[in-house]
């Protein structure tokens, strides 16, 4: 440990701290528009400059290391003026669009300009109307609002291992773009939306389905049904300005009814259904020398990544559709039939933590007789927008239960929202399906938490079942490379596109709270610990749907409605 002086006060820092990390640990903040915690510094924006005694110029605090006895002024007049000038220069060719911008009131550039007292346009730069790329079913890119911080490029390459976007052109014409400047839909983008979550401005956003949903809600010809993914109830509160990790399950159900949905279902129910189908598929593969390790299929960004970068693993991936698509297919068949509705009269909306779900719902194979299983997908952020638009007061609204016939979910379905949750839920049911008895301890602690790769061994009927969980596709690639190199001890792998799973999906609230993801995960496991129905195979509504409609897991109806296949795609980057 060493001693440094910050603004006249002595602080202790580690030898390998940067000025920025040491100052932040001491509870002070220095603003930055390019830095991301946990990544090596890029020093791109220079907003974080500080004065250091004995150094002539200003020093970028994100990339300068501390040394013993260093004297630093973080908010000297010179540093503040430099920051203000940088922001004024960034705004010189920035559109004056805040009122129309998706990030209005949650934009780092806007907030910083306000904090630094930028109240008039000091410089006027050349403004070109650059083409907005709305080609992707998931993401819209507006290069006019881009400040070239590079965060999106880094997350796409360093976390997801995709590299669909990069810096293109030079000098004042530099932009973020795709290979050959094609639309994002033609690139190798896997639609994860992690670039949106790290973008400090409105240059990246989801392809909004809000209007589509509002039109359907006001159309008397449509019977509007909504499902919400397991992670939404623990993140919508945050989107509405409440504490991270608050569970708004029942309140959200009530709110969805108030804004006009005819039925409200929980995707955790079809997560239970996924476990029945996927667990049975795993057992079938183990008993019949099928392709192993089997890999989960519920994360659509991962599926596009598989199809693009690892097509040789297609036989390993479960043929199960994702819970979103399973419930979509069941709503337009079993539910529509039960209610006497024609499938094309049902407008099926899903609320998802994930931008890739918009792409998934759009896949041609996710339809029956040309009628899509899911008609519109809202992210948590879009749901927040609609709830604010309708003036729903979540503080006063009374919680309500989900609708029949899919009103009951187990907590195994609920923990799908966190990395490791699918695996834990699957192990609980696979153990029962193979042994006829319940696990004495339902918790599989080894696969919980935010580490990128987690592993465990579970003994079932004398067989040592090797399981692994990866979240973030860079981590998944490491695991897949081990399997390619001949690793044989794994039977089942869970892969989630986003680091930490759906709780940090690309459609989740964009939050400055660095502990938000941990709070969201904790909330899901608290729900699991506090309820009694903790296994998918004991869910009475799951038993009933097999009795009344599906027959048995992996049966003919399931095969037709709940399973799918995968394509091979070209890598364009
Ligand atoms: S990106 Fe930020 S500063 Fe730019 S228009 Fe949008 S809200 Fe305003
Ligand atoms: S959505 Fe994901 S894959 Fe596509 S550009 Fe953004 S980070 Fe890269
Ligand atoms: S699109 Fe956003 S994250 Fe990417 S460089 Fe531009 S401002 Fe930064």
């Amino acid at each position: 440990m060493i001693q440094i002086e910050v603004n006249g006060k002595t602080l202790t820092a580690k030898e390998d701290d940067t000025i920025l990390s040491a100052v932040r640990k001491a509870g002070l903040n220095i603003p930055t528009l390019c830095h991301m915690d946990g990544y090596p510094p890029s020093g791109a924006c220079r907003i974080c400059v500080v004065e250091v005694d004995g150094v002539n110029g200003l020093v970028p605090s994100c990339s300068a290391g501390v040394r013993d006895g260093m004297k630093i002024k973080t908010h000297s007049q010179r540093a503040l003026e430099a920051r203000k000038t940088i922001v004024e220069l960034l705004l010189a060719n920035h559109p004056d669009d805040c009122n129309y911008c998706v990030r209005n009131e949650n934009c780092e550039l806007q907030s910083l300009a306000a904090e630094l007292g930028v109240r008039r346009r000091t410089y006027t730069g050349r403004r070109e109307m650059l083409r907005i790329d709305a080609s992707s079913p998931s993401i819209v890119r507006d290069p006019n609002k881009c400040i070239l911080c590079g965060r999106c490029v880094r997350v796409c390459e360093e976390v997801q291992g995709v590299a669909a976007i990069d810096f293109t052109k030079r000098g004042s014409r530099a932009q973020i773009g795709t290979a050959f400047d094609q639309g994002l839909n033609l690139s190798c983008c896997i639609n994860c939306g992690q670039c949106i979550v790290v973008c400090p401005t409105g240059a990246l956003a989801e392809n909004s389905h809000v209007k589509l949903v509002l039109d359907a809600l006001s159309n008397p010809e449509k019977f509007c049904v909504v499902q919400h993914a397991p992670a939404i109830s623990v993140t919508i509160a945050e989107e509405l300005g409440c504490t991270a990790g608050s569970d708004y399950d029942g309140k959200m159900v009530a709110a969805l009814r108030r804004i006009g949905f005819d039925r409200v279902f929980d995707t955790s129910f079809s997560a239970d259904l996924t476990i029945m189908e996927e667990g049975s598929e795993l057992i079938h593969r183990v008993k019949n020398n099928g392709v192993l390790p089997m890999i989960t299929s519920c994360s659509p960004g991962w599926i596009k990544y598989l199809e693009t970068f690892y097509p040789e693993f297609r036989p390993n991936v479960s043929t199960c559709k994702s819970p979103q698509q399973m419930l979509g297919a069941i709503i337009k068949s079993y539910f529509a039939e039960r209610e006497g509705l024609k499938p094309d009269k049902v407008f099926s909306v899903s609320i998802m933590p994930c931008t890739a779900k918009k792409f998934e719902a759009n896949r041609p194979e996710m339809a029956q007789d040309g009628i899509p299983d899911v008609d519109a997908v809202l992210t948590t952020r879009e749901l927040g927008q609609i709830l604010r638009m309708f003036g729903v007061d979540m503080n006063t609204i009374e919680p309500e239960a989900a609708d029949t016939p899919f009103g009951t979910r187990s907590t195994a379905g609920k923990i799908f929202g966190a990395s490791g949750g699918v695996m834990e839920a699957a192990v609980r049911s696979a153990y029962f399906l193979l042994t006829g008895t319940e696990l004495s301890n339902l918790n599989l602690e080894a696969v919980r938490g935010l580490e990128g790769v987690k592993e465990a061994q579970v003994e079932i009927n004398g067989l040592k079942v090797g399981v692994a969980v990866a979240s973030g596709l860079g981590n998944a690639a490491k695991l897949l490379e081990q399997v390619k190199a001949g690793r044989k001890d794994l039977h089942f792998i869970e892969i989630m596109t986003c680091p930490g799973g759906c709780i940090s999906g690309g459609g989740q609230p964009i939050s400055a709270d660095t502990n938000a993801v941990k709070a969201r995960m904790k909330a899901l496991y608290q729900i699991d610990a506090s309820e009694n129905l903790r296994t998918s195979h004991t869910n009475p509504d799951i038993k009933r749907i097999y009795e009344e409609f599906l027959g048995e897991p992996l049966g003919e109806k399931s095969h037709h409605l709940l399973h799918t296949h995968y394509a091979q795609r070209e890598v364009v980057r």
Side-chain angles (χ1 to χ4, degrees):
M1 301 299 280
I2 57 171
Q3 307 249 294
I4 57 172
E5 193 187 290
V6 177
N7 303 337
K9 245 185 129 45
T10 303
L11 298 178
T12 308
K14 285 187 183 163
E15 272 185 348
D16 61 355
D17 268 330
T18 61
I19 296 175
L20 182 67
S21 65
V23 167
R24 283 188 171 174
K25 277 184 218 161
L28 261 178
N29 192 31
I30 302 172
T32 148
L33 288 171
C34 69
H35 182 75
M36 293 191 288
D37 280 340
Y39 292 73
S42 70
C45 75
R46 318 308 267 193
I47 292 284
C48 68
V49 287
V50 294
E51 273 198 81
V52 174
D53 256 21
V55 179
N56 257 339
L58 291 165
V59 173
S61 63
C62 68
S63 52
V66 289
R67 60 184 153 69
D68 202 23
M70 194 181 228
K71 291 185 177 164
I72 303 151
K73 288 190 191 121
T74 60
H75 289 73
S76 67
Q77 195 177 6
R78 196 170 157 219
L80 286 172
E81 271 171 15
R83 281 177 207 152
K84 189 173 175 188
T85 303
I86 294 167
V87 170
E88 284 169 342
L89 286 167
L90 285 172
L91 291 173
N93 61 353
H94 196 86
D96 294 317
D97 264 1
C98 294
N99 270 336
Y100 311 104
C101 184
V102 67
R103 291 291 291 273
N104 191 22
E105 298 186 351
N106 187 17
C107 169
E108 291 180 46
L109 178 62
Q110 190 187 46
S111 309
L112 194 53
E115 279 165 26
L116 292 169
V118 178
R119 286 288 168 235
R120 64 185 171 86
R121 183 173 288 282
T122 314
Y123 307 104
T124 304
R126 187 189 65 234
R127 285 199 230 174
E128 292 176 66
M129 277 305 291
L130 300 170
R131 183 174 54 88
I132 293 172
D133 179 5
S135 62
S136 161
S138 301
I139 319 279
V140 178
R141 292 192 314 116
D142 182 351
N144 299 295
K145 293 177 187 165
C146 174
I147 57 167
L148 299 174
C149 70
R151 287 183 187 172
C152 56
V153 173
R154 300 194 68 183
V155 85
C156 190
E157 183 171 353
E158 295 172 33
V159 176
Q160 301 298 52
V162 173
I165 44 174
D166 208 337
F167 286 90
T168 62
K169 304 185 183 161
R170 291 188 180 180
S172 63
R173 301 203 179 270
Q175 280 181 41
I176 303 297
T178 55
F180 313 114
D181 205 19
Q182 302 204 70
L184 206 56
N185 63 327
L186 297 177
S187 75
C188 59
C189 168
I190 50 105
N191 305 294
C192 67
Q194 286 300 306
C195 51
I196 300 175
V197 178
V198 295
C199 181
T201 73
L204 291 163
E206 62 269 69
N207 193 338
S208 176
H209 287 186
V210 168
K211 178 153 187 338
L212 213 58
V213 172
L214 295 180
D215 286 350
L217 284 172
S218 58
N219 181 348
E221 296 291 308
K222 292 287 181 192
F223 188 92
C224 293
V225 175
V226 64
Q227 56 168 304
H228 54 90
I232 308 298
S233 77
V234 298
T235 54
I236 185 61
E238 209 177 318
E239 181 59 28
L240 298 173
C242 304
T243 319
S246 311
D247 182 21
Y248 268 17
D249 192 27
K251 282 175 180 277
M252 183 172 61
V253 172
L256 289 167
R257 289 206 184 101
R258 297 298 172 278
I259 64 179
F261 282 103
D262 297 296
R263 295 285 188 282
V264 182
F265 299 129
D266 186 342
T267 318
S268 308
F269 164 83
S270 51
D272 282 335
L273 194 56
T274 305
I275 288 299
M276 297 308 291
E277 294 291 326
E278 205 166 67
S280 305
E281 187 183 350
L282 176 64
I283 290 165
H284 187 264
R285 287 182 187 225
V286 170
K287 284 185 174 168
N288 297 285
N289 285 326
V291 179
L292 291 172
M294 192 175 94
I295 310 177
T296 56
S297 55
C298 34
S299 182
W302 146 240
I303 293 300
K304 189 167 181 221
Y305 183 80
L306 157 92
E307 293 175 322
T308 312
F309 298 102
Y310 284 98
E312 64 273 32
F313 277 97
R314 281 180 297 160
N316 295 73
V317 176
S318 163
T319 58
C320 286
K321 287 183 182 174
S322 71
Q324 162 178 273
Q325 293 305 142
M326 280 199 185
L327 193 49
I330 291 287
I331 284 170
K332 293 228 176 154
S333 54
Y334 171 66
F335 172 77
E337 201 180 305
R338 203 173 183 265
E339 299 284 320
L341 295 162
K342 287 196 174 147
D344 62 350
K345 294 283 176 224
V346 178
F347 191 83
S348 180
V349 178
S350 61
I351 302 164
M352 293 285 137
C354 171
T355 48
K357 290 282 177 195
K358 292 176 186 268
F359 163 77
E360 181 186 47
N362 210 29
R363 290 179 70 122
E365 61 271 28
M366 300 296 170
Q368 313 296 322
D369 304 323
I371 300 171
D373 294 334
V374 174
D375 296 288
V377 179
L378 299 173
T379 60
T380 316
R381 296 189 293 267
E382 288 171 274
L383 173 63
Q385 187 197 336
I386 294 180
L387 293 177
R388 284 190 290 268
M389 189 187 288
F390 276 77
V392 175
D393 181 358
M394 293 296 239
N395 292 320
T396 54
I397 203 161
E398 285 298 319
E400 292 175 11
D403 281 302
T404 54
F406 318 125
T408 311
R409 56 123 182 97
S410 77
T411 61
K414 191 72 182 167
I415 58 174
F416 261 57
S419 158
V422 179
M423 180 60 69
E424 191 167 338
V427 166
R428 290 177 189 179
S429 286
Y431 187 93
F432 175 81
L433 294 172
L434 277 167
T435 65
T437 56
E438 298 289 356
L439 275 165
S440 53
N441 178 8
L442 291 176
N443 296 351
L444 189 56
E445 300 282 350
V447 299
R448 295 185 179 185
L450 288 168
E451 296 93 301
V453 178
K454 299 164 278 188
E455 297 190 15
Q457 246 194 12
V458 189
E459 194 163 328
I460 308 180
N461 265 357
L463 174 71
K464 284 196 166 55
V465 179
V467 301
V469 169
S471 68
L473 294 174
N475 294 319
K478 286 180 204 154
L479 204 53
L480 295 175
E481 288 299 331
Q482 290 172 14
V483 176
K484 261 171 93 167
R487 189 169 171 192
K488 292 269 183 260
D489 60 323
L490 295 175
H491 296 83
F492 192 25
I493 298 176
E494 174 200 301
I495 294 181
M496 288 292 160
T497 305
C498 299
C502 308
I503 44 172
S504 43
Q508 292 286 31
I510 295 172
S511 167
D513 179 355
T514 49
N515 289 316
V517 172
K518 279 188 196 152
R520 298 170 191 173
M521 183 174 263
K522 193 172 163 202
L524 287 178
Y525 287 113
Q526 261 168 1
I527 293 167
D528 183 48
S530 64
E531 294 182 20
N532 293 326
L533 182 58
R534 298 184 65 204
T535 53
S536 304
H537 56 273
T538 49
N539 180 341
D541 282 353
I542 289 290
K543 288 181 187 173
R544 196 185 55 223
I545 197 171
Y546 277 109
E547 278 161 24
E548 286 184 5
F549 183 66
L550 289 170
E552 55 178 353
L554 307 184
E556 202 204 317
K557 262 209 175 117
S558 292
H559 177 75
H560 178 62
L561 288 171
L562 309 181
H563 291 254
T564 186
H565 56 273
Y566 310 109
Q568 176 161 0
R569 293 172 193 269
E570 198 189 342
V571 184
V572 183
R573 69 178 179 190

